[in-house]
């Protein structure tokens, strides 16, 4: 709970928020220009941040099927609801299929296939946001995605990379071959992709919605069509035919949840929110807590002391993740202890400024226990949405549904004693973890960084760049990034490499000094994921964006002036 606020069911009241609300900036930033355009269109039509977020997520499902899917993946999101002035967390992550066993999964853990899929929870999560925070009809929200899927879109260089990487798997499936191979060759940059089966599935969901008497029952009808109707039946049939673990009961019994986020106070007037376990978002908050009593004045983001401090704080946070963070229904995750000021001070005392720690690294608590996309939206009423959504990185399409299914089983441990072990009905420790920071009770920073275990590391760096080093969001996102691998990776084969990966633009003098301190520094491109950031000024009327320069399709829009609607 943040100071000055009283917790409400499913949310956390922001501290001492002012009563007088000015018209607010409307903005969208995402990893693809077509998704940003969809969100902008929805805001201009009078939609809320939730309506726009669903539109953005749906279009990203079409144009980035290698990253996320509102139909086949899972999602975490943070939402600031201006009235009643609270931040909530969306848990749209499904469980492991009830037919799964560790003995069956272990020999196939590194293989491509339907056995890698957990229950797709994202759709129910998006419907929950529309029900709680949305205003528009489902057909309006999905119209941009349906149009892009049916009319086609150009292959980006990012898609070309993923198609090439997954070519062998794509050629295993006639459905994927029809989608991504033409005249015997993979589609190339500039070619047109059509996702017509996905468009059909979206249209069927809209038809289910439209057949209901009102908006609320329509949303439930769209849920039922997915989880208790034709979509579930198609996915389960495909799963049974292809060695998967999902059952109709898994679908019918699932529901996404709006839950209370976790948070820390950073300085005097900033509160940073993250998604609770089973998300790994707690690692960002732990690292920030360790760092916040250090003095960074007069320093730069690539100062060796600054980088060393952040890297060592990250290592300690991820050591705790490995030891303690899993499905909260199956293990006691000591959130309060991990985020306490006393624990942060004790962790800071473990950092040797002249020597890099290497895995194995013990947790400071004596207790027993494919990729992604991110986007952010603010609307005319001051509501805000920060989202990171993912399906892994598996090009596997479920029959003729157009659904690209997730591979989240590969993010679970094969060790029966691990808090994130494979078990039927268990919820994976999810790497997706957007953050939201409020300043004096108002939305301030919305951010996310993709790339499995890079996510919270990149977010930490971007937050520090803005808050401690006075950068703009664009400068923060463009700043050369670093990634530690001094802990077991989230995904199979779960290796700890003990390297510090930095981008080529990182200063050579800093690289050499970090090596002197014992960091095994490797320099290379393509190691840091992609990031987007949205910053709102103190009175909420203006927004600034950080658009990922490493991604040619990334785009952001700030609408010209508050909407009159």
């Amino acid at each position: 709970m943040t100071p000055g606020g009283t917790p409400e069911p499913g949310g956390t009241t922001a501290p001492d928020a002012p009563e007088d609300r000015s018209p607010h900036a409307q903005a969208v930033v995402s990893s693809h220009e077509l998704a940003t355009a969809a969100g902008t269109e929805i805001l201009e039509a009078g939609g809320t941040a939730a309506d726009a977020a669903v539109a953005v997520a749906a279009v990203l499902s079409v144009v980035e099927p290698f990253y996320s899917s509102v139909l086949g993946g899972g999602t975490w999101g943070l939402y600031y609801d201006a009235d009643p002035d609270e931040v909530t967390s969306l848990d749209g992550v499904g469980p492991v299929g009830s037919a799964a066993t560790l003995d069956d999964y272990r020999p196939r853990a590194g293989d491509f296939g339907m056995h890698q899929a957990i229950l797709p929870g994202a759709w129910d999560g998006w419907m929950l946001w529309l029900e709680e925070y949305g205003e528009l009809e489902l057909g309006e929200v999905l119209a941009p995605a349906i149009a892009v899927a049916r009319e086609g879109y150009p292959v980006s260089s990012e898609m070309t990379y993923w198609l090439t990487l997954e070519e062998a798997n794509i050629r295993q499936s006639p459905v994927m071959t029809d989608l991504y191979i033409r005249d015997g060759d993979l589609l190339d940059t500039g070619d047109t992709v059509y996702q017509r089966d996905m468009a059909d599935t979206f249209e069927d969901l809209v038809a289910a919605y439209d057949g209901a008497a009102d908006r609320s029952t329509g949303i439930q009808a769209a849920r039922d069509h997915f989880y208790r109707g034709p979509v579930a039946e198609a996915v389960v049939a495909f799963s049974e035919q292809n060695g998967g673990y999902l059952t109709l009961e898994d679908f019918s019994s699932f529901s996404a949840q709006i839950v209370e986020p976790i948070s820390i106070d950073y300085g005097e007037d900033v509160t940073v929110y993250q998604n609770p376990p089973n998300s790994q978002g707690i690692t960002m908050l732990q690292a920030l807590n360790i760092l916040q009593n250090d003095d960074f004045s007069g320093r730069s983001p690539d100062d060796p002391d600054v980088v060393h401090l952040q890297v060592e704080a990250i290592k300690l946070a991820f050591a705790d993740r490995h030891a303690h963070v899993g499905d909260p229904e199956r293990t006691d995750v000591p959130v309060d202890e991990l985020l306490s000021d006393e624990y942060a001070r004790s962790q800071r005392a473990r950092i040797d400024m002249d020597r890099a720690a290497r895995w194995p690294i013990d947790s400071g608590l004596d207790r027993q226990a494919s990729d992604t996309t991110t986007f952010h939206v603010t609307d005319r009423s001051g509501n805000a949405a920060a989202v990171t959504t993912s399906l892994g990185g598996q090009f596997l399409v479920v029959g003729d549904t157009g659904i690209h299914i997730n591979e989240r089983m590969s993010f679970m441990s094969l060790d029966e004693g691990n808090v994130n072990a494979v078990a039927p009905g268990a919820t994976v420790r999810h790497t997706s973890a957007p953050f939201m920071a409020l300043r004096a009770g108002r939305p301030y920073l919305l951010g996310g960084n993709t790339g499995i275990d890079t996510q919270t590391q990149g977010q930490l760096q971007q937050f520090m760049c803005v808050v401690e080093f006075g950068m703009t969001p664009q400068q923060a996102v463009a700043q050369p990034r670093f990634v530690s691998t001094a802990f077991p990776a989230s995904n199979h084969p779960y290796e700890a490499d003990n390297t510090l990966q930095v981008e080529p633009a990182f200063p050579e003098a800093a690289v050499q000094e970090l090596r002197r301190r014992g960091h095994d520094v490797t320099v290379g491109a393509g190691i840091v994921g992609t990031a987007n950031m949205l910053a709102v000024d103190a009175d909420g009327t203006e927004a600034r964006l950080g658009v990922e320069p490493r991604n040619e399709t990334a785009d952001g829009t700030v609408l010209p002036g508050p909407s009159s609607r």
Side-chain angles (χ1 to χ4, degrees), residues 358-359 484-489 494-501 520:
R358 295 179 63 82
W359 185 263
S484 174
T485 65
F487 46 83
Y494 323 113
E495 295 173 346
D497 293 334
N498 274 314
T499 61
L500 177 59
Q501 303 171 346
D520 183 4

Side-chain angles (χ1 to χ4, degrees), residues 313-338:
I314 285 164
K315 292 175 184 177
L316 294 174
F318 274 87
D320 281 337
R321 185 201 70 169
H322 180 72
H324 304 297
V325 179
D327 181 351
E329 297 297 319
R330 293 171 179 257
T331 188
D332 179 18
V333 184
V335 172
D336 291 342
E337 293 173 78
L338 293 172

Side-chain angles (χ1 to χ4, degrees), residues 100 170-171 195 210 273 457 510 521:
I170 289 170
R171 291 186 181 276
Q195 303 280 4
D210 289 342
Y273 292 88
Q457 299 190 55
V521 182

Side-chain angles (χ1 to χ4, degrees), residues 63 358 367:
V63 299
R358 295 179 63 82
R367 295 172 59 110

Side-chain angles (χ1 to χ4, degrees), residues 94-161:
V96 172
S98 57
T101 66
L102 184 53
D103 286 344
D104 183 79
Y105 179 73
R106 183 180 280 114
R108 300 193 287 161
D111 298 339
F112 170 86
M114 188 64 193
H115 63 286
Q116 299 287 11
I118 63 173
L119 185 88
W123 181 254
D124 200 64
W126 295 123
M127 293 304 96
L128 190 53
W129 260 18
L130 288 184
E131 183 176 34
E132 294 290 324
Y133 307 121
E135 294 180 3
L136 301 186
E137 306 295 335
L138 183 61
E140 294 178 86
V141 172
L142 293 185
I146 293 171
V148 173
R150 196 165 296 288
E151 296 168 12
Y153 59 93
V155 173
S156 64
S157 61
E158 285 78 16
M159 177 173 274
T160 300
Y161 168 81

Side-chain angles (χ1 to χ4, degrees), residues 509-521:
V511 169
Q512 293 305 321
E513 173 57 21
L514 290 165
R515 284 176 173 154
R516 186 194 69 77
R517 300 186 194 199
H519 295 278
D520 183 4
V521 182

